[in-house]
Amino acid sequence: MDKLQIKGGWNELKGKIKKAYGDLTDDDLAYEEGKDDEMLGKLQQKTGKKRDELVKWINSL
């Protein structure tokens, strides 16, 4: 299974995600070290995408 790789610039990345999915809130995208699964779960609920799809998409941004 892919691992979410967040390499600095989280605010920039968060902006790109919110642009793609306008109904996401800052709470949905609250990133805390070690809580990747919780954040991805929220994104899965909002986007309807599978975890692996989200990880690949976020890592490609």
Side-chain angles (χ1 to χ4, degrees), residues 13-35:
L13 185 61
K14 186 168 57 170
K16 290 179 182 180
I17 294 170
K18 285 173 75 174
K19 185 176 180 180
Y21 294 96
D23 61 332
L24 293 175
T25 66
D26 286 332
D27 287 341
D28 294 328
L29 297 171
Y31 176 74
E32 293 180 43
E33 192 73 32
K35 294 199 174 188

Side-chain angles (χ1 to χ4, degrees), residues 21 41-51 53-54:
Y21 294 96
K42 288 180 184 179
L43 292 176
Q44 282 180 274
Q45 289 177 341
K46 293 272 184 154
T47 64
K49 292 183 179 272
K50 294 181 182 178
R51 183 190 193 286
E53 289 177 297
L54 284 171

